[in-house]
Amino acid sequence: MAVLAVIVVVIITGSALASRFSQPTVPTAASADGIVELDGGTGRIIGKIATSAHGNELAIGGGVMWEISYRARTLIRIDPKTYAVTASYGVPGAAPPVGVAFGADSVWVATAFGDKSLWRFDPKTEQFSPPIGLSSGLSAVAYGAGAVWVADKSADRIYRVDPSTSTVTAQIPVGDGPEAIAVDFGAVWVVNGVDASISRIDPVAAAVSGTIGLRGLPTAIATGQGAVWIVSESSSLLMRIDPATNSILEIPVGTGPSGVVATRSAIWVAEGVTGRLERIDPESYQVVATAYVDGAVDGILADERSVWATRHVRPLAATTSSADPLRGGTLRVVMPAWAGSDLANPEPRPNALDPQIGVTLDSGELFRCCLLRTLVSHMGRSYRDGGAELQADLATQLPEVSADGLVWTFHLRRGLHYAPPFANVEITAGDFVRALEREARVENASAEFLSPIEGFDAYRGERADTISGLEVADPYTLKVHLREVTGDLPYRFALSDTAPIPPLPTQAGAPLGAATGHDQGYGRFLVASGPYMIEGSERLDFSVAPDEQLPVSGFEPAQSLTLVRNPSWARVSDPLRPAYVDRIEITMGASDDDAAQLVDRARADVILRGSPPPQVLPWLVEKFRADPRLGRVEVNSRDFVRAISMNLAVPPFDDIHVRRAVNYILDKSALLEAHGGDLTGRILTHYVPDSLENDALVAYDPYATPGERGSLELARQEMRQSRYDPEHIGVCGVPECKQVRALTIKGSPSLFPRLFGGFPRLGALIADDLRQIGITLDVQSPPDMFAQIDDPKNRIPLALTVGLGPNYTSASSTFSVDFSGAAIGTSNTSLAGATPEQLREWGYGVTSVPSLDARIHECMQGGLRESRCWTALDVYLMEKVVPIAPYTLETVIDVVPSRVVNYAFDQSSNEIALDQLAVRH
């Protein structure tokens, strides 16, 4: 019978509260990835171990310390006495390790995906045994009570493994999202991160004997000092569970506790993001010592005398480059016309280059690289070179977050000024309030990302005169108050929408400052804060009425844009943008043929085209590949996924076996060839682009088929399990499987349809594939495809060529847009998360569909393991929900002449990084 816990809340005040905000009381460890040893009694740092990888978890056993690295996919062996790394072993298989434990004279390593996901390592032979078959989606492993215990977050269960036979002896259902385990007091304690509970398991009966509800989402668990200890990173709580009564004592601690261990004399809590470690008296619950590690703490471990903590240091932007001697010159950019562009649209758009309105793939790069700085940003590099890592920009450091996760504080760099004609105006905190107020009031598609700010929606709806959640504490401090925990808020402040707007010199109180009177066409009056400004900006006159102001001379929409150096900008105050060239001349609206000719004839240096691939004509690519003296060709991930979106409420796609069969039958190789081949994309086997997961799932392929050509046999195996195959012959055999309406994007005048047939051709190929399993399609390409699939009342079964991609460099901007219940009607075409009431209102016969909302909510709490949370959700989505069948990840092709040096790709905007380029001159 389940035991209902009694929750007792204890608020610690006085000295404990003060210690949470005190200065370091012990030395700080040096900056290098590795492991730090602290004296368990005093908290004094007594040793450091340099390792070759970013470590995530620690275990100890056999006189040795063991560390796993999620990113490097290694198991590292360390002598804790000599601080020597004695060996490093690659974890077999392709999945990153997610858990490590020692027991039965073996090291046990759980990995993130694949059926063969538990590995046993023999320290004596230094060999891994053949893997133990469990399932995909593992999250943790522990040893105790004579068994190995493994958490399966995707299936919400715990495996008991007999170490003497390496076989599974029990599968135990637990709460939603198990992700940490401890064994003590005659029980197995399981942390359930999705439904905020603890499952207590009787190890002999292999059954849950009690479930304990928690007030905060749990993060980590430890035992000792007569209790079970749990921390909640999102709620900043340490929770003590009495194993005799299952009662809970809550103790507020620090900010974002992510790890906990118990020693003989104390409880140690790690604040992973900040690198702070607190020693807590187990009797008084007071913080009695504090240590700081220079970097983030992923894993924490205790032995008889010491506390050990992993340390990871975030990479910083390089301040120098081999291109420094080439500073100067002019970069010539050609931007071909295409219908999806704001800047180079065949029909000039008045809001082109408006940071709150006209933010498309082409203008987004110009804002980041050149014209605008934001509180945080990126350094214009590929994700493999740190380009997806968030960096401080106008802020001195990444923002601080309050213990409850609802207040973020940005501290601004001092002494930074705008470009002329505002060269004497310093950038201050109120300028960001001005930008967000404009964001709320002008018509744009990005305002929803700022909706979590308290009072933003009220101001947007003209129900308030200010955004109450924006607090200017002083000219250099901006506090952002939220109405709900939003762990990815810093990423949202990297959007150009948040870039500062200076006040009007003649109307200091004008709410929109320099943008006053320019609700349309602000791009031609833009005041820069980056290394460049639009040519002629110094002649802008904001002292006259807006309708009397003359636009800047260097920007002619759909024709040309010229950028020159901003004299207010200094390289020393901008760690992200080297800005090598003195001048950038952009020609807009040329045909693709003319753009290729301009590069071929050395009259242009690079082509900037934010469209789906190919961005460059194939003949130019082949010419440069054939003659390296001309330059080179660079191909990078565009982070845009092409996939089939399946409506979970329309038969037969309300059956997961049908959805899995669709994934198995797809000839992804043929679809890639029809898209343009290896030059324009690569086969995608899961939902989230690898750049957002740092290649954690680069080898993950849950629907693998020979040569990625699809498998009729595997598809039919799934179909036989479906109720829509009444004869169990592997074919969809009911009327709902015939003449299924399926939409594709209509062809448009661009390179893809011109060279390869466009999206309707992909639709035809998909129809041929699905016909093999009895599903026939009525493929249509209406001009309003997106409007049709976004409206749930239309009950569209399939969208064959949807494009899915992030809005910023966090997977949160994909899941919440594509699969949250709140996004139904705007962008969630699968209807995941729809309620029974909604389904009934929209006329569906199906009464329920799967939901990802609770798991999205868990990951949205942010914190140390945020990226791993989204990666685990990617696995869960692909195997347990299956709302899509991804087939292609698009690429960006850049032809780089030899005159251009220091090439870099900006992962945050999916474009060539113009500020990183230098030219021979």
Side-chain angles (χ1 to χ4, degrees):
M1 177 179 293
V3 179
L4 183 63
V6 177
I7 298 179
V8 181
V9 181
V10 177
I11 305 298
I12 306 299
T13 59
S15 62
L17 183 62
S19 70
R20 282 166 48 195
F21 302 99
S22 62
Q23 294 299 311
T25 58
V26 293
T28 300
S31 295
D33 280 8
I35 299 171
V36 175
E37 181 186 14
L38 297 92
D39 185 296
T42 67
R44 182 174 59 88
I45 293 175
I46 57 178
K48 297 173 290 184
I49 304 170
T51 59
S52 59
H54 175 181
N56 298 99
E57 290 192 22
L58 299 169
I60 199 160
V64 174
M65 185 157 53
W66 305 90
E67 178 188 70
I68 55 169
S69 172
Y70 182 84
R71 182 170 297 185
R73 294 169 169 78
T74 54
L75 172 67
I76 299 173
R77 181 177 189 148
I78 300 162
D79 186 331
K81 296 179 180 179
T82 64
Y83 295 162
V85 175
T86 57
S88 179
Y89 314 95
V91 176
V98 294
V100 61
F102 188 90
D105 299 321
S106 301
V107 182
W108 302 86
V109 179
T111 56
F113 63 81
D115 292 338
K116 307 296 185 181
S117 47
L118 179 64
W119 298 86
R120 181 176 192 167
F121 180 81
D122 187 331
K124 295 179 180 178
T125 65
E126 300 185 273
Q127 298 292 320
F128 283 94
S129 300
I132 300 171
L134 299 181
S135 67
S136 208
L138 302 187
S139 55
V141 61
Y143 183 85
V148 180
W149 305 87
V150 187
D152 182 344
K153 187 174 183 179
S154 287
D156 301 328
R157 62 189 167 196
I158 298 295
Y159 296 99
R160 185 181 66 186
V161 177
D162 184 341
S164 64
T165 60
S166 293
T167 57
V168 176
T169 57
Q171 297 185 34
I172 309 160
V174 291
D176 292 347
E179 51 190 339
I181 310 172
V183 185
D184 206 346
F185 309 112
V188 180
W189 306 83
V190 181
V191 165
N192 301 313
V194 175
D195 69 3
S197 70
I198 301 295
S199 295
R200 178 174 182 162
I201 296 173
D202 182 326
V204 177
V208 173
S209 60
T211 299
I212 306 169
L214 305 176
R215 191 163 63 91
L217 295 178
T219 306
I221 188 170
T223 60
Q225 295 291 328
V228 179
W229 303 88
I230 296 153
V231 289
S232 170
E233 188 172 14
S234 61
S235 301
S236 293
L237 290 173
L238 170 66
M239 293 171 273
R240 181 189 186 276
I241 297 179
D242 184 337
T245 63
N246 283 359
S247 61
I248 302 175
L249 186 72
E250 291 185 349
I251 308 158
V253 290
T255 301
S258 59
V260 59
V261 293
T263 67
R264 289 181 298 180
S265 60
I267 306 302
W268 282 87
V269 172
E271 298 174 14
V273 173
T274 65
R276 176 182 171 123
L277 295 152
E278 294 178 330
R279 183 177 184 268
I280 298 173
D281 185 289
E283 300 294 332
S284 67
Y285 312 122
Q286 301 287 307
V287 176
V288 295
T290 303
Y292 283 81
V293 170
D294 187 11
V297 175
D298 283 69
I300 184 172
L301 172 74
D303 59 20
E304 292 184 355
R305 73 182 188 94
S306 300
V307 173
W308 305 82
T310 65
R311 176 181 59 208
H312 171 62
V313 180
R314 177 186 291 269
L316 299 177
T319 56
T320 60
S321 164
S322 59
D324 280 342
L326 293 175
R327 195 170 286 277
T330 298
L331 178 69
R332 301 163 302 171
V333 180
V334 58
M335 190 177 289
W338 67 287
S341 171
D342 274 335
L343 289 172
N345 198 290
E347 299 180 3
R349 297 191 176 182
N351 290 319
L353 213 62
D354 185 318
Q356 278 81 38
I357 301 176
V359 185
T360 57
L361 294 170
D362 41 25
S363 59
E365 170 57 22
L366 292 174
F367 290 142
R368 186 216 60 83
C369 78
C370 307
L371 289 170
L372 299 176
R373 296 180 67 180
T374 43
L375 287 166
V376 292
S377 189
H378 300 85
M379 59 179 166
R381 298 277 180 167
S382 161
Y383 74 96
R384 290 194 171 100
D385 296 322
E389 295 273 354
L390 204 61
Q391 305 278 358
D393 190 2
L394 289 173
T396 59
Q397 60 188 15
L398 294 180
E400 303 162 359
V401 63
S402 62
D404 61 6
L406 293 176
V407 182
W408 294 79
T409 303
F410 294 90
H411 298 285
L412 275 66
R413 300 176 189 268
R414 297 171 183 249
L416 302 184
H417 293 76
Y418 290 98
F422 288 87
N424 295 324
V425 178
E426 188 178 11
I427 299 172
T428 58
D431 302 348
F432 298 92
V433 175
R434 195 172 292 111
L436 269 64
E437 288 180 344
R438 184 171 191 267
E439 172 78 359
R441 287 292 171 86
V442 297
E443 188 172 338
N444 69 88
S446 301
E448 292 295 332
F449 295 123
L450 300 171
S451 181
I453 298 175
E454 187 177 291
F456 184 87
D457 287 344
Y459 182 82
R460 188 182 181 192
E462 301 187 11
R463 301 187 304 276
D465 295 329
T466 61
I467 300 175
S468 59
L470 299 178
E471 175 190 351
V472 178
D474 60 56
Y476 306 104
T477 305
L478 176 67
K479 291 181 178 288
V480 182
H481 300 259
L482 306 180
R483 55 182 175 81
E484 60 186 6
V485 174
T486 307
D488 66 350
L489 185 85
Y491 288 94
R492 304 180 190 213
F493 272 79
L495 296 171
S496 65
D497 306 62
T498 68
I501 298 175
L504 271 179
T506 56
Q507 301 178 48
L512 301 185
T516 298
H518 299 298
D519 290 353
Q520 299 285 320
Y522 176 50
R524 301 190 73 188
F525 300 88
L526 185 68
V527 179
S529 52
Y532 299 95
M533 63 183 189
I534 303 173
E535 188 173 48
S537 291
E538 69 278 5
R539 293 190 293 275
L540 289 170
D541 184 1
F542 290 93
S543 66
V544 300
D547 58 357
E548 297 178 13
Q549 295 172 16
L550 297 178
V552 70
S553 59
F555 178 32
E556 291 292 337
Q559 297 182 39
S560 65
L561 173 65
T562 301
L563 307 183
V564 296
R565 284 207 180 274
N566 169 11
S568 300
W569 178 85
R571 177 72 179 94
V572 68
S573 63
D574 188 342
L576 304 181
R577 303 167 185 83
Y580 292 114
V581 300
D582 289 336
R583 183 180 179 91
I584 302 175
E585 297 176 350
I586 303 174
T587 300
M588 302 175 182
S591 68
D592 290 294
D593 299 270
D594 288 344
Q597 289 290 347
L598 286 171
V599 172
D600 186 43
R601 295 171 183 173
R603 293 170 57 189
D605 297 314
V606 292
I607 295 172
L608 186 69
R609 194 184 202 276
S611 71
Q615 293 84 14
V616 181
L617 283 169
W619 69 261
L620 184 64
V621 173
E622 295 307 319
K623 183 173 183 178
F624 271 66
R625 280 183 165 176
D627 188 353
R629 294 173 299 176
L630 297 175
R632 65 188 190 275
V633 175
E634 298 280 353
V635 181
N636 288 277
S637 169
R638 185 172 176 256
D639 289 351
F640 222 73
V641 177
R642 291 294 164 190
I644 301 172
S645 176
M646 295 174 272
N647 189 328
L648 305 178
V650 174
F653 305 104
D654 60 329
D655 188 325
I656 192 170
H657 298 294
V658 174
R659 302 195 297 270
R660 288 172 176 164
V662 170
N663 275 273
Y664 275 125
I665 200 62
L666 279 187
D667 186 339
K668 296 180 181 179
S669 290
L671 289 169
L672 179 60
E673 290 162 9
H675 206 284
D678 293 341
L679 193 64
T680 58
R682 68 173 181 79
I683 290 172
L684 186 66
T685 57
H686 58 98
Y687 164 57
V688 178
D690 291 320
S691 67
L692 303 187
E693 298 176 332
N694 212 13
D695 285 338
L697 300 185
V698 69
Y700 174 57
D701 191 355
Y703 302 100
T705 63
E708 299 294 350
R709 290 288 181 184
S711 169
L712 182 58
E713 178 183 355
L714 293 174
R716 284 183 171 174
Q717 284 179 13
E718 279 292 339
M719 190 61 74
R720 289 188 189 102
Q721 302 175 64
S722 168
R723 62 183 180 275
Y724 295 109
D725 179 12
E727 298 182 15
H728 304 293
I729 58 174
V731 174
C732 204
V734 297
E736 290 89 342
C737 304
K738 309 306 175 187
Q739 290 302 108
V740 174
R741 192 176 181 208
L743 306 187
T744 77
I745 298 172
K746 185 177 176 63
S748 61
S750 65
L751 285 181
F752 176 39
R754 169 184 161 188
L755 298 175
F756 304 111
F759 295 111
R761 185 185 176 203
L762 299 184
L765 292 173
I766 293 170
D768 289 341
D769 290 339
L770 268 59
R771 188 177 297 111
Q772 299 177 69
I773 53 174
I775 300 175
T776 61
L777 303 185
D778 174 15
V779 180
Q780 303 172 13
S781 303
D784 62 342
M785 185 203 83
F786 293 106
Q788 290 198 36
I789 64 176
D790 284 343
D791 187 346
K793 294 179 182 178
N794 290 327
R795 300 190 292 279
I796 305 296
L798 295 176
L800 303 180
T801 57
V802 294
L804 308 173
N807 292 282
Y808 40 87
T809 58
S810 168
S812 59
S813 70
T814 61
F815 279 101
S816 59
V817 170
D818 296 333
F819 299 114
S820 71
I824 295 174
T826 57
S827 54
N828 177 355
T829 58
S830 72
L831 301 195
T835 65
E837 294 76 18
Q838 288 175 321
L839 294 172
R840 185 168 55 251
E841 176 188 347
W842 298 327
Y844 289 91
V846 170
T847 58
S848 66
V849 294
S851 175
L852 290 162
D853 286 355
R855 292 176 186 259
I856 290 173
H857 173 73
E858 181 203 10
C859 297
M860 284 299 297
Q861 304 306 298
L864 184 71
R865 297 176 180 86
E866 177 185 4
S867 178
R868 285 177 58 177
C869 186
W870 293 118
T871 299
L873 186 52
D874 192 356
V875 173
Y876 179 83
L877 176 136
M878 288 302 303
E879 299 188 36
K880 302 300 182 182
V881 181
V882 203
I884 59 170
Y887 50 85
T888 300
L889 180 66
E890 295 179 346
T891 55
V892 175
I893 311 158
D894 288 318
V895 171
V896 187
S898 56
R899 178 175 182 265
V900 177
V901 295
N902 206 56
Y903 170 86
F905 180 76
D906 179 10
Q907 200 73 57
S908 67
S909 68
N910 293 312
E911 290 284 5
I912 191 170
L914 299 182
D915 60 311
Q916 302 285 343
L917 303 184
V919 294
R920 304 184 193 278
H921 59 93

